[in-house]
Amino acid sequence: MLLDRQQFDRCFTDYKRSAWRFETQPTYTMPREQPGLARFLAGEPKLPDHNKQWHGRVRAMVAAGKTIGRVRTVRRPLTDYQRFQLAWGIPGNIEAGEDIRILDLTDLQLDLPIQDFWLYDETTVVQLNFRPDGTLMDRQKPVDSAQYLVWRDIAVSHSVPFGEWTAEHFMRDHD
């Protein structure tokens, strides 16, 4: 079943306990992010209200007793978008209350999908399908969540907390 934007947004207001994302794309081409990405690539400072709307949403979910998290996959060398996301996006998301882990697939072969998905309350899945350029094609709601739970568990078990990954990555790149 395909979901429109309103149906997808309702998943965030309707879930009761947990929302979790598997994030796989090397680049996301989202119009609202383009000005920030351009600033980042130009070496300009991040604006104080960067990603403010998402941070407010995360804080509200956490204040309501819900959890939200994700595993972000990467491969070296990182894309410009991944560097932007890791430097400007993820730290603020964590500060707002999101649990974010990194799964570095550079030297790993795991049985994981190539598309992103959200998993709500371990029962509702929304698969996000992207074009190669990072633009969203559609959102699909599969009927069965069993395989997505397996993929979540694989991703979580092979990932590390963002802070641990960035410290290790920094040390490796500067030895």
Side-chain angles (χ1 to χ4, degrees), residues 168 170-175:
E168 177 185 318
F170 181 79
M171 294 301 293
R172 182 179 349 158
D173 289 351
H174 293 88
D175 280 342

Side-chain angles (χ1 to χ4, degrees), residues 5 11-12 23 30 32 51 78-79 97 105 109 127 131 137 140 148 156 166:
R5 181 65 196 198
C11 292
F12 286 101
E23 197 168 47
M30 298 166 38
R32 72 178 184 278
N51 220 9
L78 299 175
T79 65
L105 294 171
Q109 292 273 342
Q127 183 177 299
R131 291 180 184 89
M137 288 188 316
Q140 294 180 334
Y148 294 88
V156 169
T166 54

Side-chain angles (χ1 to χ4, degrees), residues 100-144:
I100 301 178
R101 301 174 63 85
I102 304 296
L103 175 53
D104 190 336
L105 294 171
T106 305
D107 299 319
L108 285 178
Q109 292 273 342
L110 299 174
D111 181 23
L112 292 169
I114 60 169
Q115 80 274 352
D116 292 28
F117 64 89
W118 277 99
L119 179 60
Y120 303 94
D121 295 329
E122 299 190 338
T123 57
T124 301
V125 175
V126 176
Q127 183 177 299
L128 307 172
N129 298 305
F130 292 88
R131 291 180 184 89
D133 70 352
T135 56
L136 182 66
M137 288 188 316
D138 60 40
R139 300 168 199 90
Q140 294 180 334
K141 189 174 179 183
V143 176
D144 186 11

